[in-house]
Amino acid sequence: MRNRSIDPRRRVPRTDVLLADPRLAAAAASHGRSRVKAVIVGAQERARRGEIRPEDVPAAAVAALPGGGPQPVINATGVLLHTNLGRAALSTAAVDAVIAASGHTAVELDLNTGRRAQRGRDALAALAAAVPDAQAVHVVNNGAAALVLAATVLAAGRDIVVSRGELVEIGDGFRLPDLLESTGARLREVGTTNRTTLADYSWAVGAGTGFILKVHPSNFIVRGFTTSVPVSELVTLGVPVVVDIGSGLLTPEPLLPDEPDAASALRAGASLVTASGDKLLGGPQAGLLLGDSDLVERLRQHPLARALRVDKLTFAALEATLRDPETPTWRALRARPGELHDRVERLREAIAEAGHKTEVVACVAVVGGGGAPGVELDSWALSLPERYAEALRQGDPPVLGRVERGRLLLDLRGVPADQDDTLRRAVLRVLHNGPGN
Ligand SMILES: *Cc1c(COP(=O)(O)O)cnc(C)c1O
């Protein structure tokens, strides 16, 4: 009997205890008890064989769940909007709104009259209120869909006049020119990579022009001998000007002086502005269209609009984001370096008390995700030997840092402060177990 308490295999948690773990209980509710039980037994057997420690059985069972759903990760990369990590993290208000909308909701019904109502009208009203310069607004699936809709409606079989300096690839092989041409529009490229003048546009504009497109080169900068034409001058050429601002700033942001915003573009005379919802706006994936009411109405009426329409969950998250713009993205952007330093220092101290040495280092974070190229945000990171990167990435929760000059940096600018405890535990686990685990 005495051996019982010593043999680690005896410490493997019992099935009923594991089934009470909230994560496994939730899985049992959605996937069925027997499937989850099988997963639990598998994890228990691994512990009995000595492959994993008894205390790791719950995490191993969770990791082995069938289609366990997306796993939250800690973004310590220092890239605030990381495309591979889902760009913007939603605010608590947006998450609550998504949960509330996940059942039946009056997305297309007026509860006062009992009649059909405009789909997503509350989110659209919030967007219109956030940008009073827009006569009308519309929302589609993402920024690319917004451009496709605009190009289809305004320029199919016609020319889109665009500067050669703005024919950009956004990422993962998504090239703006290919996307625009896929709608049946013809691209009329003007100017050069570094310089395009009003005269270049003026020569190209004619009876066959659908619109002039101005694109924010959102993930690179061209420096030196450069010229581009502001929206206020393009609008003098007598054709609609569509501005793809990319990152979804609705109004000017003093922290990002070179980042274009929707209100300024509209005030300068743009007919239509397109943007993403999940970049600097900090909301769900969405494509925002803001501009002239006639134009927006034509977009809304086009058959393609139905194929690009957004889900009720998107509307819910977007509305919440617009009404309370204190998103994780904005907090990360605004965080003061001193604050970040204090957080990293507390982390280092707690880890030192547990007997492990790490360092606090100054570093530079970026906005990323197609926003504010060239902007460097002073930040602070916990520095570990590079060999821990893999174990942290495969941990529970996974922690993503960045490797710089042979060190693994865990940059806190993109980590919400309420994740510091989770981060500390994840780091400690890996430091205890060693990099091979
Ligand atoms: C990100 C971006 C897009 C594409 O938007 P998605 O929401 O990713 O589809 C288009 N244009 C610009 C300038 C961008 O920055």
Side-chain angles (χ1 to χ4, degrees):
M1 280 313 266
R2 226 176 303 137
N3 276 346
R4 251 199 142 152
S5 54
I6 292 165
D7 185 349
R9 283 169 297 183
R10 297 286 177 192
R11 290 192 286 115
V12 173
R14 284 182 0 221
T15 307
D16 54 346
V17 172
L18 289 163
L19 275 169
D21 179 299
R23 296 166 297 178
L24 295 166
S30 55
H31 298 293
R33 218 176 140 83
S34 57
R35 278 182 82 184
V36 174
K37 253 183 144 167
V39 167
I40 286 174
V41 169
Q44 289 167 327
E45 279 169 2
R46 286 182 62 201
R48 291 195 190 100
R49 286 196 299 267
E51 290 172 22
I52 56 173
R53 297 174 313 163
E55 53 269 42
D56 292 335
V57 168
V62 170
L65 282 173
Q71 204 181 355
V73 309
I74 294 186
N75 176 12
T77 60
V79 181
L80 307 190
L81 300 166
H82 199 299
T83 303
N84 302 148
L85 301 180
R87 287 193 191 155
L90 293 183
S91 64
T92 311
V95 171
D96 290 346
V98 167
I99 293 168
S102 59
H104 293 143
T105 171
V107 67
E108 268 182 62
L109 185 77
D110 183 333
L111 292 172
N112 290 319
T113 62
R115 285 180 213 283
R116 181 171 195 149
Q118 184 187 26
R119 186 179 173 83
R121 62 205 170 282
D122 294 337
L124 295 171
L127 180 57
V131 190
D133 292 286
Q135 289 176 2
V137 299
H138 184 54
V139 176
V140 290
N141 258 318
N142 53 25
L147 278 172
V148 162
L149 188 57
T152 304
V153 172
L154 303 177
R158 300 167 71 83
D159 291 344
I160 296 174
V161 179
V162 59
S163 162
R164 289 196 171 90
E166 298 174 4
L167 295 171
V168 302
E169 175 170 322
I170 303 301
D172 195 26
F174 163 50
R175 292 186 163 166
L176 224 78
D178 299 345
L179 182 87
L180 294 167
E181 284 180 328
S182 76
T183 66
R186 286 182 305 263
L187 282 194
R188 186 73 202 281
E189 301 172 19
V190 300
T192 61
T193 307
N194 55 330
R195 289 173 70 84
T196 306
T197 63
L198 187 62
D200 293 324
Y201 285 98
S202 171
W203 283 319
V205 166
T209 303
F211 60 85
I212 294 174
L213 176 64
K214 182 147 181 80
V215 181
H216 175 44
S218 54
N219 51 11
F220 67 97
I221 31 181
V222 180
R223 274 215 196 91
F225 187 51
T226 63
T227 303
S228 65
V229 185
V231 175
S232 57
E233 291 179 27
L234 293 176
V235 298
T236 62
L237 298 176
V239 293
V241 174
V242 176
V243 183
D244 174 14
I245 60 167
S247 66
L249 270 191
L250 299 182
T251 52
E253 169 50 53
L255 281 175
L256 307 171
D258 296 328
E259 196 63 14
D261 66 280
S264 302
L266 291 167
R267 224 168 283 166
S271 302
L272 197 65
V273 169
T274 68
S276 299
D278 55 346
K279 295 181 183 172
L280 284 171
L281 184 65
Q285 180 188 300
L288 315 180
L289 288 144
L290 309 98
D292 291 354
S293 40
D294 291 354
L295 255 178
V296 172
E297 195 50 30
R298 280 172 66 198
L299 302 179
R300 285 169 25 80
Q301 299 293 334
H302 193 277
L304 190 57
R306 180 63 170 78
L308 305 178
R309 79 173 196 182
V310 298
D311 179 45
K312 61 181 176 176
L313 303 181
T314 303
F315 274 131
L318 182 61
E319 183 188 350
T321 304
L322 289 163
R323 293 202 190 283
D324 182 6
E326 274 279 302
T327 62
T329 305
W330 280 110
R331 274 198 214 107
L333 200 62
R334 294 227 159 85
R336 283 177 290 106
E339 217 175 283
L340 297 170
H341 179 270
D342 291 350
R343 285 173 54 200
V344 184
E345 182 53 32
R346 276 199 296 276
L347 207 57
R348 188 199 62 76
E349 275 168 20
I351 289 169
E353 273 166 28
H356 298 280
K357 188 171 149 44
T358 56
E359 284 164 44
V360 174
V361 299
C363 62
V364 172
V366 297
V367 172
V375 170
E376 299 191 336
L377 305 162
D378 290 334
S379 190
W380 289 90
L382 192 72
S383 168
L384 276 68
E386 179 183 347
R387 61 180 186 278
Y388 287 104
E390 185 179 340
L392 276 168
R393 190 179 69 244
Q394 294 171 357
D396 178 24
V399 175
L400 280 294
R402 73 172 182 277
V403 172
E404 232 174 67
R405 276 173 264 133
R407 301 288 295 177
L408 175 67
L409 301 189
L410 303 179
D411 185 328
L412 284 209
R413 187 174 275 279
V415 179
D418 63 7
Q419 289 182 1
D420 283 0
D421 285 346
T422 314
L423 177 61
R424 189 196 67 238
R425 279 194 295 272
V427 172
L428 272 177
R429 210 172 297 135
V430 166
L431 291 174
H432 276 316
N433 292 350
N437 242 311

